[in-house]
Amino acid sequence: QVQLVESGGGLVQPGGSLRLSCAASGSIFSINAMGWYRQAPGKQRELVAAITSGGSTNYADSVKGRFTISRDNAKNTVYLQMNSLKPEDTAVYYCSLVVTTAQAMAPDDYWGQGTQVTVSS
């Protein structure tokens, strides 16, 4: 089994910064893509940023230039640095990892529990 633990959410004023972390543990053989999604009240979950095993990244247009995704393969951890936060960034943020476990030896999607980010003055 694989467990994902997210941290770093909270309340921040517009223009502020937060850094989200998502650490994976368990019977991990390899981790392929890692990503962050968010879901605001009344809206569908959307992709915020993703990073491949090779380090290639892509971002939603709404966060380009403000958010940075990175990964630490030694720690099985993905990060999301969020700068210049806006009220419209308010949402529950979820990490998603494509993990191959030692048992299955095939990739599968795993999700974090979600962390609330609120941008408000």
Side-chain angles (χ1 to χ4, degrees):
Q1 264 294 12
V2 176
Q3 296 80 38
L4 304 185
V5 177
E6 297 183 27
S7 60
L11 173 64
V12 64
Q13 291 186 343
S17 299
L18 285 175
R19 188 193 195 205
L20 305 183
S21 300
C22 174
S25 62
S27 184
I28 297 170
F29 178 77
S30 66
I31 301 177
N32 302 325
M34 294 175 155
W36 288 94
Y37 290 74
R38 67 186 181 187
Q39 187 167 19
K43 295 188 177 181
Q44 290 189 333
R45 189 173 298 188
E46 62 175 355
L47 175 67
V48 176
I51 184 168
T52 68
S53 57
S56 297
T57 58
N58 68 284
Y59 297 91
D61 288 342
S62 59
V63 307
K64 283 181 181 177
R66 301 188 298 120
F67 290 11
T68 302
I69 189 171
S70 61
R71 60 190 288 168
D72 184 334
N73 292 328
K75 296 181 178 180
N76 291 332
T77 299
V78 61
Y79 304 97
L80 185 67
Q81 178 66 45
M82 304 185 293
N83 299 328
S84 302
L85 283 160
K86 304 175 180 180
E88 51 263 42
D89 294 318
T90 296
V92 178
Y93 284 70
Y94 299 89
C95 61
S96 175
L97 277 57
V98 179
V99 179
T100 297
T101 63
Q103 289 81 12
M105 292 305 290
D108 202 355
D109 293 336
Y110 291 86
W111 290 83
Q113 79 278 10
T115 186
Q116 177 70 47
V117 171
T118 302
V119 185
S120 175
S121 54

